[in-house]
Amino acid sequence: MKKICMLLACAVTVSCNDWFGITPDGSSVPEDRFFRNENAYLNALTDIYTQLRAESLYGRTLSVGEVEFMGQNFRPADALQTAAASLDYADATFAGAIEQTYVDMYRAISACNNLIEHIENTRVVFNDKDRKHIITGELYGLRAALHFELLRLFHPAWTVDPDFVGLRYMTHFGMTVSEPLSTRLFVERVLADLDRAAEELKDRDPIFEGYSLSSVLPGEIDSRLRTFCMNYYAVRGMRARVCLYMGDYIQAAACAEEVFEHLTLVDKTYRLFYFCAPGEYGDDYSFSREHLFGVSTLPGGFDELTDKLYGEGGAEVTAHYAGLFTDSRDTRYRDWFDNSQPDRVLMSRKFGPQSVLSGYTSTGGSEQVLPCRIPFIKLGEMALIRTEALVRQGDADAATAAARLVEMQQARDVTEVADRLADPAFTPEQLLEYVELEYRRDFFGEGQLFHYYKRLNRTSIPQYDGTERAMTADDYTWPIPAVSVQANQL
């Protein structure tokens, strides 16, 4: 069945803060005048999503760019990539990129806070009685997710120093600046925001109903195509990620498993996310049908940038690659990489121009092909979180702990774990080797492997040149830039 096209990509492109700027007569536009109806809130929310695809955020640095090179999957091809792969935070260009990410992330958080304050105090009557709750839930979920991304980068890992004081958790728009918090208190704020988001979205989010047929113009929001938004399951997936980070394995496993409810509550024809069987996704090499939440992109933007980074003349996959994909049937091996030159492997297709989202319909009823989407959080990560959390709890047998991981591998045409389960000597602890293997395989180009190593506080990691690199807490921690994060300066 053809799905419905929701193109966040072509909507508002100016900053939310710029909307409240100067009128033709030189006077400022009061924000209360702008937020005069439901559409104004929807447009402002759309703007926040479009901010996320900036190159300083998920359009490069936090996905296919610097953070990915820090994970050592690719041999760098220019000076900035080399500085990132070398973890050289003193390099001026890399330091500038880090500062820009820091500023733009807080700018997006500031936009969330501005909209939260307005929607929670508005007198606007929404056409759909659930719409206000849904927008509010998305905003709290986004604010939590963006803060947590900052925490993973700029604080030492939880296992190293949960009492490290560094970042500010911004909850107000305006002149007020929050005090820096410890990692422990910062995470408490993240979890509180995620719980508020879940409360607002529970039983209201259209994702519980699956796809609903309708058509929209490019740039309009069809809120029923919820994987372009911070939906209920993305919020619960984020909570699973945070709980695993802080070692709360019971909650991590429970939240990850809750995400899989979508696969049982909604018929496959109408599901918004699911594991894709080999060949089922056509040219959707980024496996977007597995995204709980992904960031929309523009044609000629993220896809062309990725092609420059990883296509002909770009960064090569490192020597570690040969040991990761030992089965040539693996759909990732077949679809993501150009293996025509054994001594020079390129990840040319996963996010490049050849990777598209097909099967969506436009207002005219014709099929619309969209550029690849940037994954923010995926179903595969939920399988890995559940497996690891159950193993670390110590009260699950190998088959129970591995159930979701087996599903994930089957979708890749891989049977490694399923085959090992036939061996009665196979232990739950041995599953952790396959969890790491899948983090190294499934997140190529997504900027997640470095966070995996950091969470576990690995004292050494495989380096892009084939050697082992010794790691310290400082290597894992971005220096906090000395710039203001007051909302009025963003």
Side-chain angles (χ1 to χ4, degrees):
M1 171 176 288
K2 291 182 179 180
K3 277 70 175 183
I4 311 308
C5 172
M6 181 194 71
L7 293 179
L8 290 169
C10 301
V12 183
T13 58
V14 296
S15 166
C16 183
N17 296 337
D18 292 339
W19 291 349
F20 316 118
I22 305 301
T23 63
D25 63 2
S27 61
S28 62
V29 179
E31 294 189 23
D32 289 338
R33 178 181 166 189
F34 177 81
F35 289 115
R36 65 188 182 276
N37 56 39
E38 181 176 331
N39 283 337
Y41 286 96
L42 289 170
N43 288 337
L45 178 61
T46 298
D47 174 61
I48 296 172
Y49 286 117
T50 61
Q51 288 184 52
L52 300 186
R53 65 168 178 249
E55 288 193 20
S56 59
L57 300 180
Y58 297 96
R60 175 187 165 119
T61 300
L62 302 179
S63 58
V64 296
E66 287 69 61
V67 178
E68 176 62 19
F69 283 94
M70 292 166 66
Q72 310 296 313
N73 272 332
F74 294 90
R75 188 178 304 280
D78 63 30
L80 177 56
Q81 295 170 11
T82 300
S86 302
L87 310 179
D88 183 4
Y89 304 131
D91 178 85
T93 305
F94 189 26
I98 289 173
E99 181 174 311
Q100 194 62 55
T101 296
Y102 177 83
V103 169
D104 288 347
M105 189 70 89
Y106 270 116
R107 179 179 285 116
I109 290 170
S110 176
C112 289
N113 289 334
N114 186 35
L115 195 49
I116 286 172
E117 291 180 13
H118 277 276
I119 200 168
E120 290 188 334
N121 296 286
T122 187
R123 295 182 180 180
V124 169
V125 177
F126 286 71
N127 297 325
D128 183 335
K129 62 183 179 64
D130 289 334
R131 179 67 60 207
K132 179 179 178 181
H133 293 284
I134 293 170
I135 294 174
T136 303
E138 290 182 46
L139 289 167
Y140 274 97
L142 283 169
R143 186 169 79 179
L146 300 182
H147 272 109
F148 185 66
E149 193 73 39
L150 286 169
L151 183 77
R152 292 200 297 177
L153 292 166
F154 291 100
H155 276 217
W158 177 279
T159 54
V160 173
D161 186 5
D163 296 313
F164 174 87
V165 176
L167 294 172
R168 308 169 192 272
Y169 201 96
M170 304 293 285
T171 58
H172 297 287
F173 179 80
M175 297 293 290
T176 304
V177 177
S178 304
E179 290 298 315
L181 296 179
S182 68
T183 299
R184 195 185 305 276
L185 292 176
F186 199 97
V187 168
E188 287 181 7
R189 298 282 184 90
V190 170
L191 291 174
D193 274 354
L194 289 174
D195 288 344
R196 174 64 185 278
E199 178 185 345
E200 296 287 342
L201 293 167
K202 182 68 173 176
D203 299 325
R204 299 185 179 99
D205 195 326
I207 201 167
F208 296 116
E209 303 169 5
Y211 285 111
S212 180
L213 294 176
S214 67
S215 295
V216 294
L217 292 169
E220 290 184 349
I221 296 176
D222 184 344
S223 61
R224 286 162 290 196
L225 192 56
R226 296 292 294 162
T227 53
F228 280 94
C229 304
M230 181 59 72
N231 60 75
Y232 177 80
Y233 289 117
V235 166
R236 299 307 281 170
M238 277 302 308
R239 201 178 201 285
R241 181 186 282 181
V242 175
C243 287
L244 186 71
Y245 171 82
M246 60 187 293
D248 185 348
Y249 301 124
I250 293 176
Q251 282 294 308
C255 290
E257 181 60 25
E258 183 181 359
V259 170
F260 286 91
E261 288 181 0
H262 184 66
L263 281 64
T264 57
L265 295 177
V266 178
D267 183 85
K268 184 172 182 178
T269 303
Y270 302 103
R271 291 174 193 161
L272 282 93
F273 59 83
Y274 50 89
F275 283 128
C276 298
E280 187 176 2
Y281 43 79
D283 293 336
D284 183 4
Y285 301 129
S286 66
F287 302 173
S288 69
R289 298 306 198 277
E290 298 184 11
H291 300 172
L292 307 182
F293 165 46
V295 179
S296 67
T297 63
L298 289 167
F302 182 72
D303 54 349
E304 288 195 2
L305 170 65
T306 304
D307 193 45
K308 291 178 181 177
L309 286 175
Y310 298 124
E312 194 65 37
E316 302 173 20
V317 176
T318 66
H320 307 304
Y321 165 87
L324 296 179
F325 296 96
T326 56
D327 190 337
S328 61
R329 296 175 302 173
D330 193 317
T331 56
R332 297 164 294 194
Y333 175 85
R334 298 200 315 256
D335 292 342
W336 292 353
F337 304 98
D338 179 355
N339 297 287
S340 60
Q341 305 175 65
D343 59 339
R344 186 173 182 272
V345 177
L346 301 174
M347 191 190 74
S348 57
R349 288 192 293 270
K350 185 176 182 180
F351 296 119
Q354 298 177 31
S355 182
V356 296
L357 313 187
S358 59
Y360 297 85
T361 56
S362 65
T363 300
S366 59
E367 184 169 317
Q368 181 78 33
V369 176
L370 310 179
C372 62
R373 183 167 61 180
I374 306 167
F376 193 100
I377 189 164
K378 306 191 303 183
L379 189 60
E381 184 179 354
M382 296 302 101
L384 299 180
I385 288 175
R386 179 185 181 275
T387 301
E388 180 178 347
L390 288 177
V391 170
R392 296 195 187 281
Q393 284 181 53
D395 58 357
D397 59 40
T400 299
R404 298 300 186 187
L405 177 53
V406 169
E407 291 178 30
M408 176 186 178
Q409 287 199 335
Q410 287 175 339
R412 309 287 184 259
D413 224 357
V414 174
T415 62
E416 292 166 332
V417 174
D419 294 341
R420 290 296 305 276
L421 288 173
D423 181 357
F426 186 59
T427 66
E429 289 71 24
Q430 290 175 304
L431 274 174
L432 296 181
E433 297 176 11
Y434 288 97
V435 168
E436 177 166 337
L437 186 59
E438 288 302 340
Y439 269 103
R440 297 183 65 189
R441 288 170 171 167
D442 212 64
F443 295 96
F444 253 92
E446 298 182 26
Q448 293 296 331
L449 184 58
F450 179 78
H451 295 303
Y452 172 80
Y453 290 144
K454 178 174 179 176
R455 173 170 60 81
L456 297 176
N457 191 32
R458 286 289 173 80
T459 55
S460 67
I461 62 175
Q463 193 163 258
Y464 69 86
D465 61 3
T467 65
E468 285 285 317
R469 178 192 173 95
M471 296 291 289
T472 67
D474 288 342
D475 290 326
Y476 282 122
T477 308
W478 281 11
I480 298 176
V483 296
S484 171
V485 293
Q486 288 182 212
N488 67 307
Q489 294 183 350
L490 297 179

